[in-house]
Structure formats: structure tokens, C-alpha cells
Amino acid sequence: MTETALITGATAGLGAEFARQLGAKHYNLVLVARDAERLATGAATLRQDFGVAVETIVADLETNDAVDRVAARLRQVRERITILVNNAGYGLPKPFDENTLDQESAHLRILVTTPMQLMHAALGVMLEHGHGRIINVASMAGFIPRGSYGACKAWLISFSRWANLEYGPRGVTMTAVCPGFVHTEFHQRMGASTRAIPEWMWLRPDRVVREGLADALSGKAVSIPSKRYALLAAGSRFVPAGLGAAAGRRGR
Ligand SMILES: NC(=O)c1ccc[n+]([C@@H]2O[C@H](COP(=O)([O-])OP(=O)(O)OC[C@H]3O[C@@H](n4cnc5c(N)ncnc54)[C@H](OP(=O)(O)O)[C@@H]3O)[C@@H](O)[C@H]2O)c1
């Protein structure tokens, strides 16, 4: 059977890399993001490079109508989705108290509510067929006190741990991929300076996605790309909250 992967936030950074690596593995693709032109260009390149079928859905995943359209594609049985990658996201540049409630609500929506709705839609078809993989792009920030961003990512990690236990035996695995700092458009879009982040803390998207995909395909609940971040995540359990929060102030 030809498998199909749906990736949110597929126009840039980690999402675009998930599309490339899954295309190279001969998955057909459904790419979701807001920028229609970038989606069309990316889709054409993937078709040409890998000979796979590529659909695009132009969707602002902070709006009900767009999330409903993507959820409808996930419920479709013909050419059903066997891998869902919940990846679209961003960080807010200011701390919680300086943001408006609307900004925080939109941020919570893109990082938690939308992935939750898409997982719910995908699970129905996946469980019915006893086969599927859901990948939630979380963050190392989910392991330390890191404002509302860290709290959203902690939700994804905790939920993925539970869901992998619950649905894994029924053929559907769930994996939270937890990168540290990655060279993408994330920090630039946030308008955040990256000067205080030492070079050794940066990862390349190809490595994050390669390790994340391998862990997801082997059914792991949590994937922490690179040994250095796996060590940091293990250590974060023993570090006092204040120290973790101080480290988290460097970035997302
Ligand atoms: N880069 C890092 O250091 C890092 C570290 C840990 C975790 N992460 C996580 O990795 C994920 C991907 O981020 P990235 O680093 O690849 O960032 P990126 O390069 O800025 O890409 C973000 C993607 O999300 C899409 N997006 C943003 N808002 C959207 C919306 N409202 N509706 C639909 N799509 C939307 C963007 O596409 P359009 O603009 O075309 O809509 C883009 O494709 C995020 O969940 C982020 O929290 C990143």
C-alpha cells in the first residue's frame, strides 16, 4: 500500500524537512500551511525530486474553518493518511504578562488545540485500520519551566507518552519529537536574538528529522534528537526549577 503523510507547517524549517525526508522514502504527501505560493513551489519540487503525489491545503491553523478542512482530509478513507506530523508553530517574543490574551490564546491554539483536534480526526481512521503514526513536534522547552511555550510543549510530550501506551498496542504509535535549538526560520520570525546561544547548542533540521522519524517509525513515545540534548533532558529531571528556568531564558 502507498502510504500518505500529512504535515502541518510544511513550507519552512522542520516541516519542509519532514516533507523532503518522507518524500525520499516514497510517501505521498499532504502539505499544510498558510503561504499558498510557498506551498505550491515546495509541492512541485517534491513531485519532481521524488515522483510522489503531493496535495496542498492552504490553511491558517488558528481558524476553525481551516482546522475543519484539514480534519476532513484526515478522516478521508480513500488515500488515507498513515502519518500525521503536527509541526506548525511559533513562539511569542514577549513574556506571558506582556502579551494580550488574544495572542496567548492563538499561541495555545496552534501549539495544543489544533494538534489535539487533528490527532482526534486522524485516530479514527488509523485505529480502524490498525495502522498509523502520529508525530508531535514538541521541544526541549517542554522539560523545563519555560512560560506558556514550554507548558504547551509539555502538554504534547505528556499526551504523546500516554497515547503511545494506549494506542500502540492497537497499531497506532505517537511520538513527541523534542528538539533543542534548530536552524530554521523560528527565531527570525519571533524577532528573537540568538546571540546568547552557543554554537554547540544548534542542530540542523535534517538531523532532527532523521532521528525523529527513526524514533517514530520504531514506536518510541519521546524522541530527543542528538546525544547532547538527550543528556540535557535526562539532567533536567534533577536540576532545581530556578536553574532550569534560567537556562530556558536563553531561547525556545
Ligand atoms: N527551531 C527551533 O529551534 C525549534 C526548537 C524546538 C521546537 N521547535 C518547534 O518546531 C516546530 C516547527 O518550527 P520551525 O523551527 O520549523 O519554524 P519555522 O521555520 O518558522 O516554520 C514554521 C512553520 O509553521 C507554519 N505556521 C506557522 N503558523 C501557522 C498557522 N497559523 N497556520 C498554519 N501554519 C503555520 C509556517 O508556515 P506559513 O507561514 O506558510 O503558514 C511554517 O511552515 C514548531 O512547533 C516549533 O515550536 C522549533
Side-chain angles (χ1 to χ4, degrees):
M1 185 200 118
T2 311
E3 300 217 26
T4 304
L6 185 148
I7 303 155
T8 69
T11 46
L14 292 171
E17 186 60 28
F18 269 107
R20 267 190 295 277
Q21 293 196 21
L22 285 163
K25 289 181 191 294
H26 306 295
Y27 283 83
N28 288 332
L29 301 166
V30 182
L31 311 180
V32 182
R34 291 167 301 185
D35 187 329
E37 210 175 303
R38 260 181 120 176
L39 273 176
T41 312
T45 307
L46 290 161
R47 282 183 203 112
Q48 191 179 338
D49 289 354
F50 306 117
V52 295
V54 188
E55 297 166 46
T56 58
I57 304 178
V58 180
D60 178 346
L61 294 171
E62 290 175 6
T63 66
N64 292 336
D65 161 68
V67 175
D68 287 349
R69 283 188 287 117
V70 179
R73 178 62 185 89
L74 287 162
R75 287 194 198 94
Q76 187 181 306
V77 175
R78 193 177 45 82
E79 290 162 11
R80 70 188 152 89
I81 305 297
T82 51
I83 298 195
L84 163 64
V85 185
N86 275 315
N87 163 79
Y90 59 82
L92 293 169
K94 292 181 184 165
F96 180 71
D97 60 295
E98 291 177 30
N99 294 324
T100 65
L101 211 45
D102 282 348
Q103 287 170 321
E104 285 290 342
S105 299
H107 180 246
L108 181 69
R109 166 130 218 202
I110 190 88
L111 294 183
V112 175
T113 312
T114 294
M116 185 263 293
Q117 287 175 281
L118 299 185
M119 284 188 260
H120 197 264
L123 264 175
V125 178
M126 289 180 176
L127 287 173
E128 203 170 299
H129 291 83
H131 174 62
R133 312 267 184 204
I134 296 178
I135 297 173
N136 292 316
V137 179
S139 169
M140 282 289 293
F143 298 117
I144 55 175
R146 189 65 194 85
S148 55
Y149 180 81
C152 289
K153 297 302 192 182
W155 189 96
L156 282 178
I157 296 168
S158 176
F159 186 80
S160 301
R161 279 200 172 110
W162 168 80
N164 197 51
L165 287 172
E166 180 76 10
Y167 301 119
R170 294 167 64 188
V172 181
T173 61
M174 197 163 310
T175 305
V177 175
C178 306
F181 296 114
V182 195
H183 288 297
T184 67
E185 296 173 16
F186 182 90
H187 293 89
Q188 179 197 330
R189 285 185 195 234
M190 192 168 52
S193 165
T194 53
R195 272 190 308 236
I197 305 168
E199 196 47 45
W200 67 266
M201 294 189 93
W202 286 98
L203 296 171
R204 287 162 45 110
D206 56 337
R207 176 170 188 185
V208 172
V209 171
R210 195 174 58 250
E211 293 188 20
L213 264 182
D215 286 341
L217 295 175
S218 68
K220 274 194 187 170
V222 177
S223 170
I224 303 171
S226 85
K227 284 213 169 61
R228 77 198 92 140
Y229 275 109
L231 276 170
L232 285 173
S236 71
R237 278 186 244 148
F238 307 104
V239 165
L243 205 62
R249 274 188 209 107
R250 281 167 182 259
R252 307 293 159 116

